[in-house]
Amino acid sequence: MPSSRVVHVRTDDTAVVDTLRRGIEQIQKELEVTPEFPAEVEAAAARAAAAPRLPELDRTEIPFITIDPDSSRDLDQALHIERGTSRGSEGFTVHYAIADLAAFITPGDPIDVESHRRGQTLYGADSKIPLHPPAISEDAGSLLPDQVRPALLWTIEVDDTGEGVAVEVVRARVRSVAKLSYDQAQAAIDSGSDVPGGDTLRLLKEVGELRLARDARNGAVALPLPEQEIDISDDGTWRLEFRSMLPVEEWNAQISLLTGFAAASLMVAGKVGLLRTMPPPDPRDVKRLRRTARALGVSWPPELDYPEFIRSLDAADPAHAAVIVASARLLRGSGYVAFDGDLPEEREQSALASEYAHVTAPLRRLADRYAGEVCVALCAGEPVPSWVLEALPELPAQMQSSGQKAGAYERAVIDLVEAGLFQRRVGEEFDGVVVSVEEKDDRRGKVSVGEIGVEAPIEGTAPLPLGDDIRVRLDSVDVGKRQVRFVPA
């Protein structure tokens, strides 16, 4: 599931593209990251891609499909759903194929060492710092259509309430029959058209809606933050637009979550693995969010707890969107915990109201490769490989470090794009809404400028009116420093 803050760029203006490219190159230099791989890593990837270690089990008869952004080539997951389970006609059987990197990576080889150094793929403004060389992540290891690929094949039975009731994961050869974009998948579901994976798409809606209802019952939290897209016109004008998630994206994400829950249950039962964790929100942050909602004029009935309240918000409404952004403060402290033997005391992902594990994005996230290996071994009744057990204790720190870098990269790219948006508009006035005010200095905060779809710093000479409409003037822009500054008009 891609970050809601990822920026996508659409432009044919070469001057603007050059400006963006130079800025991104500077960000990469500052953070000491690069899309390029050392020669020995590229060579090892080329050799591995040419001779993958394919599993014996052949499940290429299952008509898998992938659902991803249109431009994606690093396809981790392929899906097939059928009605009924081994227990009878009620419920569903979900087949979920996850790219198997063990077919290409040997512990300790150059690809493995480099992946530990990187930790995860970094995204921002259509720029990408991949975890693995493209020869693997966008070609031989990717679940591209009409290609036989090695995979970890998850088979999960789901009852008629949306609850997972049985799970198995094995190594198998699989083949996708279609690569669908989110728009294509949604259009096929809405029209009922006959496309590859038609039954799977129809059942995805059923299972996805059951799972969303289950989340609501269990008190899970999801922030419906829109993605940002930059549209740049022929005259070089930049415009930032927000794109809300399509329903199919939420349903698709539910299959990934279903698999993460199943993986966690396997690892907790086996007392070995790697869980994704998040502590409960600080009660002070919940009170602060209530104050913010009140200041923004958003009704929060006292009987609603914060998960129900967040689910009631509409990201298309500017005031609601500001509350959604503010509510991210409640979901802090996420991390990983590794264990082998005694179960950790803190092992729940509070936003999901459950134990949870990352296993569905190994092409883009290091932790998933190891968690997947644990689950395969547990299902087979075999010992977890020693190279996995040796690496587990260090993975939480490696993922935390790479996660911090991913966040810094994403924020820097967004700051660059926003500065580019405003570079020709210094002195202009805009209508906005004050969406946050600093606690230590109520003259500083952030303003949401709806006309061009950004949140940006604002600084006044008097206390800022949180939640109020405000007329602002763009005071200064520095694209090189990725800074913009508004003042009240």
Side-chain angles (χ1 to χ4, degrees):
M1 296 176 284
S3 167
S4 60
R5 291 280 286 166
V6 171
V7 177
H8 303 283
V9 181
R10 306 192 307 271
T11 180
D12 294 324
D13 188 316
T14 56
V16 172
V17 170
D18 287 344
T19 297
L20 188 61
R21 184 179 294 119
R22 287 194 300 271
I24 289 175
E25 288 174 352
Q26 178 60 34
I27 293 168
Q28 293 174 356
K29 182 178 180 181
E30 292 172 8
L31 295 177
E32 299 181 338
V33 296
T34 175
E36 307 300 327
F37 287 83
E40 65 272 18
V41 177
E42 292 280 13
R47 291 193 298 270
R53 296 183 285 267
L54 296 176
E56 293 183 6
L57 180 61
D58 186 343
R59 296 308 308 273
T60 55
E61 82 282 0
I62 300 176
F64 286 100
I65 61 171
T66 62
I67 308 173
D68 292 275
D70 188 48
S71 61
S72 295
R73 285 190 58 83
D74 50 347
L75 310 183
D76 292 283
Q77 310 118 7
L79 172 67
H80 178 263
I81 306 177
E82 58 192 42
R83 195 178 299 278
T85 70
S86 63
R87 295 164 170 77
S89 60
E90 297 295 327
F92 311 84
T93 297
V94 175
H95 297 294
Y96 207 37
I98 306 299
D100 184 7
L101 286 170
F104 307 95
I105 300 176
T106 300
D109 74 6
I111 313 169
D112 183 44
V113 172
E114 182 69 9
S115 69
H116 278 266
R117 191 182 70 81
R118 296 189 176 219
Q120 60 187 285
T121 297
L122 313 186
Y123 294 94
D126 288 351
S127 67
K128 183 168 64 176
I129 311 295
L131 174 61
H132 301 102
I136 293 174
S137 62
E138 298 185 4
D139 192 358
S142 178
L143 303 181
L144 297 166
D146 302 318
Q147 304 294 322
V148 175
R149 293 289 189 254
L152 302 186
L153 176 55
W154 292 78
T155 300
I156 305 174
E157 295 187 356
V158 179
D159 68 19
D160 56 4
T161 72
E163 195 68 52
V165 292
V167 59
E168 180 187 40
V169 55
V170 296
R171 285 196 152 87
R173 302 194 303 278
V174 302
R175 179 166 45 211
S176 166
V177 298
K179 176 183 183 293
L180 302 178
S181 69
Y182 293 132
D183 287 337
Q184 290 172 326
Q186 188 67 59
I189 292 171
D190 292 344
S191 67
S193 58
D194 188 13
V195 298
D199 286 343
T200 287
L201 289 175
R202 285 184 282 274
L203 294 176
L204 173 61
K205 179 180 180 180
E206 288 189 45
V207 175
E209 290 178 342
L210 287 171
R211 296 288 301 174
L212 287 168
R214 171 197 174 277
D215 282 355
R217 291 194 302 271
N218 291 350
V221 181
L223 300 184
L225 289 169
E227 287 189 349
Q228 295 171 294
E229 292 185 344
I230 310 162
D231 188 31
I232 308 176
S233 63
D234 293 340
D235 65 0
T237 301
W238 298 32
R239 181 177 178 84
L240 190 59
E241 301 171 343
F242 290 99
R243 185 188 72 83
S244 297
M245 288 179 64
L246 295 169
V248 72
E249 294 177 70
E250 296 187 79
W251 303 329
N252 198 42
Q254 283 296 320
I255 303 303
S256 181
L257 291 171
L258 168 69
T259 308
F261 293 139
S265 68
L266 288 172
M267 290 189 281
V268 169
K271 294 187 177 182
V272 58
L274 183 69
L275 299 178
R276 181 66 164 159
T277 63
M278 178 182 289
D282 189 319
R284 293 172 296 181
D285 289 334
V286 177
K287 291 180 180 179
R288 184 181 293 111
L289 183 64
R290 281 192 177 273
R291 293 196 298 270
T292 300
R294 185 168 60 251
L296 289 167
V298 178
S299 174
W300 185 346
E303 68 273 12
L304 286 189
D305 60 17
Y306 85 90
E308 291 179 287
F309 171 65
I310 292 173
R311 281 194 296 274
S312 74
L313 298 174
D314 179 4
D317 182 301
H320 285 216
V323 176
I324 292 169
V325 171
S327 66
R329 185 185 182 98
L330 275 61
L331 307 182
R332 297 186 298 178
S334 60
Y336 292 84
V337 60
F339 57 101
D340 181 11
D342 294 334
L343 293 176
E345 291 185 10
E346 302 294 333
R347 58 180 186 269
E348 185 172 281
Q349 214 285 15
S350 66
L352 300 176
S354 178
E355 294 157 346
Y356 179 68
H358 276 161
V359 291
T360 63
L363 293 177
R364 295 169 282 164
R365 206 165 43 209
L366 177 65
D368 299 47
R369 171 156 62 102
Y370 285 87
E373 290 291 343
V374 172
C375 292
V376 169
L378 290 173
C379 282
E382 298 175 352
V384 176
S386 59
W387 62 270
V388 174
L389 296 177
E390 290 166 4
L392 281 180
E394 304 300 324
L395 282 173
Q398 291 173 345
M399 295 307 299
Q400 180 181 17
S401 176
S402 66
Q404 291 171 344
K405 186 164 288 189
Y409 185 72
E410 183 181 297
R411 287 191 299 272
V413 171
I414 290 172
D415 289 344
L416 167 68
V417 171
E418 291 182 346
L421 281 169
F422 288 120
Q423 62 181 334
R424 301 182 185 182
R425 308 190 70 172
V426 174
E428 291 189 31
E429 294 186 2
F430 306 86
D431 291 322
V433 176
V434 178
V435 295
S436 68
V437 176
E438 292 185 8
E439 293 184 14
K440 295 182 179 179
D441 186 350
D442 59 11
R443 296 168 301 173
R444 299 172 181 266
K446 286 191 175 181
V447 61
S448 175
V449 183
E451 178 185 336
I452 41 184
V454 301
E455 278 186 15
I458 181 172
E459 183 175 345
T461 57
L464 294 171
L466 179 63
D468 283 5
D469 294 333
I470 188 172
R471 188 74 175 170
V472 296
R473 185 180 74 253
L474 181 57
D475 185 62
S476 62
V477 173
D478 189 325
V479 177
K481 294 181 179 179
R482 305 186 291 275
Q483 295 176 348
V484 301
R485 179 176 179 269
F486 282 95
V487 296

